[in-house]
Amino acid sequence: MRLSQADTLLRTVFGYSDFRGHQSEIINHVIQGGDCLVLMPTGGGKSLCYQIPAILREGVGIVVSPLIALMQNQVEQLKQRGVRVAYLSSLLSQSEIEAVEQDLQANHYDLLYVAPERLLAPRFLALLQKIKLSLFAVDEVHCISQWGHDFRPEYVQLSILQKRFPQVPRIGLTASADMKTRREIIEKLDLHGARVFITSFDRPNIRYRVVNKTNERLQLLDFIKSEHPHDAGIVYCLTRRKVEDVAFWLSSKGVAALPYHAGLSAQVRRNHQHQFLSDKGKVIVATIAFGLGIDKPDIRFVAHLDLPKSIEGYYQETGRAGRDGLPADAWMAYKFGDAVRLQRLIECSNGQTAVKQVAMEKLDALLAFCEAVTCRRIRLLNYFGEHVPEVVCGNCDLCLDPPQVWDGTVAAQKALSCVYRAGQDSNLDHWIDVLCGNYTEQVKRWGHDKISTFGIGKELNEKDWRKVFQQLMALGYLTSDHDEVRSRQRLTPASRTILRGEKTLYLRAK
Ligand code: ADP
Ligand code: ZN
């Protein structure tokens, strides 16, 4: 009986005829008062999973969301649909806040959106204890995890919800949670008995492709002109400056491109976003400031001229392509040197060591994705904890056009033992000199012409050795420390499997 109420709501209030994926199961579970963790890709339809139960259950549903701008947007849309809803955030004046709080006590709402710091204010918690609550929905719940790519300290304190309101069901929702993050969410939000609903992260209509960056602008232009001449797309760049340069340059080449970044005035940003959403075939060149809450179904490509910070970031950004289910491209221009630059930036930043460590590991995982020699989709899905059989997906560059690989096991063993023998205290150029048997000043000064790995790598030239080292680093068999003046490579626990000959390693030939 209850589900049919949910069905009716879906039609009358939201205007949709059917639930998607796990929506109906989740809604049913929450209506009955169950806790759950919902993992669903962006655009999958997470909101309905708490909106409908909040409307149907007695009391008000509290939605915690870190994204104030999105909150406002969602609330406006819900109001237009006749839902009794409000939000509390720093965007409201004191008197507006008081008005909402009064209405809340008078039982005026089905749903209330709040920023976490506001929810956790003692006065507000006390107020909540006086009224009937239908549920807590914690959106973007991965922010609770230090391991998550978007950690927010105020989220950690949400663990008091279980203690203060043990009777009220809790729903955590996120589009990105690898296994470690997932465990931390369950721990911190005390979701031990909760059901976990996982919707596949696969986006079969998106074709993943990573190209070797040689001339990024020309490569991008060629990609757009030959594959998406009249399509809407997003081009992500790391810096504001680059966003402007690339947008300007694309325009000069006849592509309808507009820049978007946080340094532009609000009016310009609104205008460009509006054009992108309403016109056909506009390309937006943007920093990652662009995209949150963008619900445009027919974005045909997402291009990256710079590395995203993590696989989560990459997945979220590329996930904006092809929401309509029609073919779309995720295209990235990548070169190893960019990763080294990012590593330096992380190491030289002022963050805590643990935070840097996480950022480093995230970047390493992304690098392994870029340097992969087999199916990218499988790499992505595995990262999010989905285990799929190792078959070709048929819709990524590596499946469509498998790269030439060679058995690099022996070369890798030579490279790794060279680093090890020589004390793990120098940089690539030096290792390569030792392997190739070059009598450089440094080799002689350090006596490295006397060690057993001197000159054992003459079968490859210096350029090839550089590629071997880069792949070893990208695949996690070597790690680097950087400071302002130099970088040093060290072995990792994984290197041992190679040194002991327990693993065959295929490397890219090109
Ligand atoms: P998420 O929070 O998972 O990114 P949203 O809840 O914002 O996704 O939903 C994404 C889009 O899909 C919205 O435009 C939403 O209205 C739409 N949507 C959600 N559920 C359904 C459904 N059952 N049928 C059709 N459209 C839906
Ligand atoms: Zn594939």
Side-chain angles (χ1 to χ4, degrees):
M1 182 205 102
R2 273 188 161 147
L3 249 195
S4 72
Q5 275 187 325
D7 278 324
T8 313
L9 263 186
L10 180 72
R11 276 162 218 209
T12 54
V13 176
F14 296 93
Y16 301 131
S17 52
D18 299 293
F19 284 112
R20 275 190 196 155
H22 289 115
Q23 277 177 336
S24 151
E25 245 182 298
I26 298 167
I27 289 168
N28 199 18
H29 178 75
V30 178
I31 287 177
Q32 290 168 16
D35 296 334
C36 61
L37 175 58
V38 174
L39 303 159
M40 213 186 259
T42 307
K46 285 184 284 299
S47 328
L48 285 184
C49 298
Y50 54 82
Q51 287 165 349
I52 290 183
I55 297 171
L56 290 181
R57 277 173 67 86
E58 198 195 336
V60 54
I62 306 292
V63 185
V64 187
S65 167
L67 308 164
I68 295 177
L70 287 193
M71 196 187 284
Q72 199 178 2
N73 212 326
Q74 274 203 323
V75 167
E76 288 311 323
Q77 284 179 5
L78 286 170
K79 269 191 192 157
Q80 280 166 17
R81 293 177 163 149
V83 179
R84 307 185 310 157
V85 55
Y87 70 95
L88 283 177
S89 85
S90 50
L91 296 178
L92 298 182
S93 68
Q94 192 53 36
S95 60
E96 285 170 316
I97 290 176
E98 281 163 17
V100 171
E101 288 183 354
Q102 266 174 19
D103 284 347
L104 185 62
Q105 297 193 62
N107 231 334
H108 268 320
Y109 301 124
D110 287 321
L111 275 160
L112 180 74
Y113 285 70
V114 287
E117 59 279 7
R118 196 152 286 277
L119 167 71
L120 294 162
R123 212 179 59 84
F124 191 70
L125 286 173
L127 192 160
L128 288 186
Q129 255 160 340
K130 286 190 261 171
I131 60 176
K132 178 87 186 155
L133 300 176
S134 60
L135 55 86
F136 285 108
V138 183
D139 205 5
E140 311 290 344
V141 68
H142 60 275
C143 296
I144 209 169
S145 159
Q146 219 131 19
W147 172 253
H149 62 118
D150 203 10
F151 176 58
R152 294 175 192 239
E154 64 277 16
Y155 255 62
V156 175
Q157 295 160 43
L158 291 174
S159 58
I160 66 165
L161 293 182
Q162 203 279 335
K163 294 180 197 91
R164 295 281 289 264
F165 307 92
Q167 313 301 338
V168 181
R170 292 181 308 289
I171 314 158
L173 308 103
T174 173
S176 56
D178 57 21
M179 287 313 272
K180 265 186 173 168
T181 310
R182 218 177 283 177
R183 276 195 288 270
E184 225 182 312
I185 294 170
I186 290 176
E187 199 55 46
K188 294 206 174 127
L189 212 54
D190 196 357
L191 288 175
H192 294 282
R195 270 192 67 181
V196 181
F197 293 93
I198 304 174
T199 302
S200 173
F201 276 64
D202 193 12
R203 299 284 310 275
N205 60 318
I206 298 183
R207 175 172 296 182
Y208 299 99
R209 192 182 336 171
V210 178
V211 304
N212 204 354
K213 190 191 278 188
T214 48
N215 183 331
E216 57 183 6
R217 289 185 182 188
L218 284 178
Q219 289 171 295
L220 175 69
L221 184 66
D222 184 46
F223 165 69
I224 295 177
K225 291 228 153 159
S226 59
E227 301 185 37
H228 296 285
H230 308 293
D231 290 338
I234 309 177
V235 177
Y236 282 111
C237 302
L238 192 61
T239 64
R240 297 174 181 186
R241 173 81 196 275
K242 184 160 166 185
V243 161
E244 298 203 359
D245 290 350
V246 170
F248 183 77
W249 186 80
L250 283 177
S251 305
S252 77
K253 300 291 175 192
V255 176
L258 298 165
Y260 187 106
H261 61 70
L264 296 169
S265 75
Q267 198 192 347
V268 170
R269 270 183 284 155
R270 249 198 320 274
N271 176 0
H272 288 182
Q273 175 165 330
H274 179 75
Q275 288 189 52
F276 176 69
L277 294 178
S278 50
D279 299 2
K280 268 209 158 74
K282 282 270 187 306
V283 172
I284 203 123
V285 184
T287 58
I288 53 169
F290 182 79
L292 279 175
I294 294 290
D295 194 10
K296 182 174 169 65
D298 58 348
I299 299 174
R300 294 270 68 85
F301 69 90
V302 170
H304 281 90
L305 286 190
D306 292 302
L307 278 177
K309 289 198 174 66
S310 62
I311 292 205
E312 288 91 335
Y314 173 75
Y315 182 81
Q316 206 167 58
E317 286 145 32
T318 55
R320 293 178 182 129
R323 294 259 177 96
D324 53 9
L326 298 173
D329 280 298
W331 181 97
M332 169 155 64
Y334 153 83
K335 74 170 189 286
F336 188 75
D338 292 351
V340 177
R341 272 224 321 272
L342 280 185
Q343 284 172 340
R344 287 227 170 89
L345 275 180
I346 296 172
E347 294 231 332
C348 301
S349 64
N350 306 323
Q352 293 167 307
T353 321
V355 175
K356 287 188 193 176
Q357 185 62 31
V358 169
M360 229 30 154
E361 284 181 37
K362 297 271 171 193
L363 183 58
D364 287 345
L366 185 75
L367 273 185
F369 171 81
C370 293
E371 294 281 347
V373 291
T374 55
C375 187
R376 296 204 196 273
R377 189 178 309 277
I378 292 177
R379 301 273 95 67
L380 280 180
L381 295 178
N382 283 348
Y383 184 81
F384 291 113
E386 250 180 76
H387 291 286
V388 280
E390 284 272 340
V391 288
V392 289
C393 78
N395 201 21
C396 76
D397 52 352
L398 299 176
C399 286
L400 291 167
D401 182 17
Q404 286 200 348
V405 293
W406 58 291
D407 182 345
T409 316
V410 173
Q413 286 167 342
K414 288 181 180 178
L416 294 175
S417 40
C418 181
V419 173
Y420 181 71
R421 287 281 145 71
Q424 313 191 50
D425 192 26
S426 192
N427 59 20
L428 277 197
D429 299 319
H430 182 70
W431 311 131
I432 295 172
D433 284 332
V434 175
L435 282 166
C436 293
N438 298 336
Y439 286 98
T440 61
E441 269 309 303
Q442 185 171 320
V443 166
K444 283 188 270 182
R445 194 166 63 242
W446 291 8
H448 284 171
D449 50 346
K450 306 282 181 330
I451 61 178
S452 59
T453 47
F454 185 73
I456 59 163
K458 290 191 174 141
E459 72 277 20
L460 297 181
N461 63 28
E462 292 172 21
K463 214 168 129 221
D464 291 335
W465 274 119
R466 191 167 293 279
K467 280 192 202 134
V468 170
F469 274 103
Q470 287 178 356
Q471 291 183 70
L472 288 173
M473 283 190 268
L475 297 171
Y477 296 109
L478 272 178
T479 154
S480 322
D481 298 327
H482 302 277
D483 52 33
E484 282 75 3
V485 281
R486 62 181 188 157
S487 69
R488 263 186 302 256
Q489 275 75 43
R490 279 181 294 106
L491 303 197
T492 67
S495 337
R496 221 175 292 161
T497 57
I498 303 285
L499 284 170
R500 287 206 200 118
E502 289 164 4
K503 192 177 160 131
T504 309
L505 186 67
Y506 289 99
L507 298 175
R508 276 167 185 276
K510 280 184 285 180

